[in-house]
Structures are given as C-alpha cells and as structure tokens.
Amino acid sequence: AYSFSQEFSIPFGGSAIGTKTGAGTGILDTLPRATQPTLNVSTVDMGQAVVINLPRASANFTHDLAYAFAGGSYVTFATNEATSYPWTVPLTLADSIPNAVSGTVTIRVITKNGTTTVGTKTVLLTAKVPASVRPRIDSVSVTEATAGLSDKVGAFVQSKSSAKVSITASGARSSTIKSYTSTLLGKSYTGQTWTSGVLTQSGTLSIVTTVTDSRGRTESLTTDITVLAYSPPSISTFSVSRANSSGTADTEGTYLRARTVYSVSSLNGKNTATAKLEYRRAGTTSWSTLATYSDTSMDGTLTPKGTTFSTDYQYDFRVRLTDAFNSATPATYT
C-alpha cells in the first residue's frame, strides 16, 4: 500500500480563486520483472561450487535454473529456488572440451510467479579444467634391443646393450596424447616406441618420459634401469720359466712354470671366460694348446703337467683370453 497527496490551484483573472488539497491511499500492481542473476565469482574450477544470487523483484517469484556448455543444450539443475543457489559445476564438463583448458557456461534463470513465466535472464561463467586433470603414463617398458644378449646375460651390459622402450599413456577427461618425448644419457628420443643407442655407462641409468595431451598438459615419469659394468678381457701379466718335474724353477728343467694375471667382467656370474695357454717351438708356425682355463679371473702360477720341453730348443708361449663378447690381445713370452 502506498499513500500519496496532491495540491493544485486554479488561477482566474490573474489571481488564484482557491486551493484544493486531497490525500488518499492505494495498492500499486507488481511489475512483471524477471530476475537478473549474479555470481559470487566469474571463474571457477570444474568440480567446485559457485553461488548464483537471485535478487527477485517479488517474494512470490521462484526460479528454475539450467546451464549450457560448449554448444550443448540446456540442462536443468534446480527448480523453485528463491534468492540464491550454490551450484557445483560438474567435472564432467571437461569431457566436452578435450582440446581446451576452459570454457564458458551459460546459466539460464527462468523467473516464475506461480505457474506463470515472468521472464528469462542469463549470466556467464568461465569454467576451468582443474590442473589435476592431466595425462597419465601407465607404463614404460624397457627391454634389451641387442639380439641374443638377454638370453646370454639377462641384464643390460655396458657398451653392449641398447634399450628398447615402449610407452603406454592415456589422456584425461577425453583428451588424447599428442606427443611422447624421452631422454636417456643426455639424448632425446621421440615416439611411443624407440630404441636407444649403445649404453655407454654402467650403474643406474634414468629414462625420463614426458607425454603431452591435446590440452597441452604434460606428465613425466622416471624409469631406472641397471646396467652392468663391462670391460673387455685383459691380460696384465704373463711370464714363463723352465721347471723340474715338481714345479720348482730350474733353468735346465724340461717342465713349465707360467705366471699369468688376467681378468674378465663377471656380469653377475653370467659372463664366460676361456684362457688358452699355447706353445710352439721357435721358428715354427703352428700353435698347440697346453692347457685351457675357464676362470673369469686368475692371478697365480700355473704348472702344467704332461708336456716336456727339450733344453735343446727355444719355445714360444702365449695366452689367448676370450669372454662372451671379445678377445684380449694375446700375451706372448719366449
């Protein structure tokens, strides 16, 4: 109810002939005005809440709320609301924008007076894909790329092995994987599968894998592999002297004492070694095997039995050492 008053005068012949006043009360009709919604924030992460304020023109008004996103149809999420509504923006909206990190939500408010629609207003909200929605690396498989080496040693071997890498990764909320990048020993490799160069270092080596999805978001994973140290077989000492039948050094003896020191990389006990002690009479070309040893390392004196060496002749001796991969330069002694 509103009160109002009025006052008027009617001039006549240049002078007022009187004044009339009046007062009264009355009820004014409610104007049919749709509610313009406002938001407590303009940007929000999907999965978080936003408060939709509904400053209605009449206490009799109610509101039906709906949203549209990424060109989709309106979806009603609340009805018969009064002055405000806290709405949690669905995380599933991210599925509609696999190539973007945010999108615009149109919130529609239909104002009603009973069953009569007063009008419709909208407000815009920027919804962001949360930073936690990123691609995932499910696995990085690393196997031996050098044929036959896995069966021989069962491990990566320095200067012999190459790594074959296969990556399994997936996007998040409809995104797709666009690129794969890996680093190993300072070198970069691309692609979901790749093969490294020869592994020149031993110990624990790290493969850093990074994937990028269609939103431009990345995820990285470090995969460690163990590489066994390897050095080619080597002979550091070899000397030969005459001995008697008991193995005691004797310059006139017809038996042999041989001193040798050699080594072969163990490779967790999987490497093999063959050391052959060979001889020939000086001036001849054909070598004969005096003894064969399979120890991966030796540091001692050998006294082979069964073969004698006449003091009337000079003899050449040598040690030939091989492992599963290489041969050492033979060591000779006359």
Side-chain angles (χ1 to χ4, degrees):
Y2 302 90
S3 62
F4 57 90
S5 64
Q6 62 182 0
E7 180 178 329
F8 59 88
S9 64
I10 300 175
F12 182 76
S15 62
I17 61 173
T19 298
K20 180 67 175 177
T21 61
T25 61
I27 302 296
L28 300 180
D29 293 334
T30 300
L31 296 176
R33 183 161 52 101
T35 301
Q36 174 61 58
T38 62
L39 306 175
N40 67 323
V41 293
S42 60
T43 301
V44 68
D45 278 355
M46 297 171 187
Q48 299 298 313
V50 59
V51 177
I52 304 171
N53 299 306
L54 304 167
R56 58 188 179 180
S58 170
N60 296 325
F61 289 174
T62 60
H63 308 92
D64 293 345
L65 285 69
Y67 75 87
F69 183 71
S73 302
Y74 277 104
V75 178
T76 299
F77 60 88
T79 58
N80 298 319
E81 297 301 324
T83 58
S84 67
Y85 183 81
W87 178 51
T88 299
V89 180
L91 182 58
T92 53
L93 295 186
D95 296 336
S96 301
I97 51 171
N99 302 318
V101 296
S102 66
T104 300
V105 181
T106 302
I107 299 173
R108 183 186 69 188
V109 175
I110 299 176
T111 305
K112 289 185 175 181
N113 187 1
T115 59
T116 302
T117 297
V118 175
T120 301
K121 297 287 187 179
T122 60
V123 65
L124 301 181
L125 172 69
T126 298
K128 298 192 300 181
V129 180
S132 59
V133 177
R134 54 196 321 107
R136 182 180 66 193
I137 300 175
D138 300 298
S139 67
V140 176
S141 172
V142 188
T143 57
E144 177 63 65
T146 303
L149 190 57
S150 179
D151 294 336
K152 185 181 295 184
V153 181
F156 294 107
V157 178
Q158 180 185 10
S159 301
K160 299 299 175 183
S161 292
S162 295
K164 182 178 180 180
V165 179
S166 179
I167 305 164
T168 302
S170 53
R173 290 292 175 184
S174 299
S175 73
T176 55
I177 303 299
K178 291 299 184 182
S179 67
Y180 301 79
T181 304
S182 304
T183 58
L184 172 61
L185 291 176
K187 294 183 179 180
S188 294
Y189 301 88
T190 58
Q192 189 173 3
T193 59
W194 52 273
T195 300
S196 74
V198 174
L199 304 177
T200 58
Q201 296 182 19
S202 64
T204 300
L205 305 184
S206 294
I207 300 172
V208 180
T209 302
T210 301
V211 298
T212 303
D213 72 358
S214 52
R215 292 191 180 96
R217 290 182 171 175
T218 62
E219 187 61 71
S220 297
L221 179 67
T222 298
T223 305
D224 292 333
I225 62 173
T226 299
V227 179
L228 301 180
Y230 176 78
S231 297
S234 64
I235 304 168
S236 58
T237 300
F238 180 58
S239 63
V240 177
S241 64
R242 288 181 176 274
N244 58 29
S245 59
S246 63
T248 302
D250 183 349
T251 57
E252 297 299 318
T254 58
Y255 292 87
L256 181 73
R257 283 170 56 95
R259 167 75 176 173
T260 184
V261 178
Y262 69 79
S263 63
V264 168
S265 296
S266 172
L267 303 181
N268 287 342
K270 297 297 182 65
N271 199 3
T272 59
T274 301
K276 286 188 176 183
L277 178 60
E278 300 175 330
Y279 72 95
R280 68 182 179 185
R281 201 173 77 180
T284 63
T285 58
S286 178
W287 292 88
S288 299
T289 300
L290 181 62
T292 300
Y293 306 93
S294 60
D295 301 311
T296 55
S297 65
M298 184 175 290
D299 183 355
T301 299
L302 312 175
T303 54
K305 302 295 184 179
T307 301
T308 58
F309 303 92
S310 171
T311 56
D312 293 332
Y313 299 102
Q314 180 174 285
Y315 294 88
D316 300 326
F317 295 88
R318 73 181 182 186
V319 171
R320 292 195 298 120
L321 175 64
T322 60
D323 71 357
F325 306 103
N326 293 290
S327 298
T329 301
T332 60
Y333 196 92
T334 300

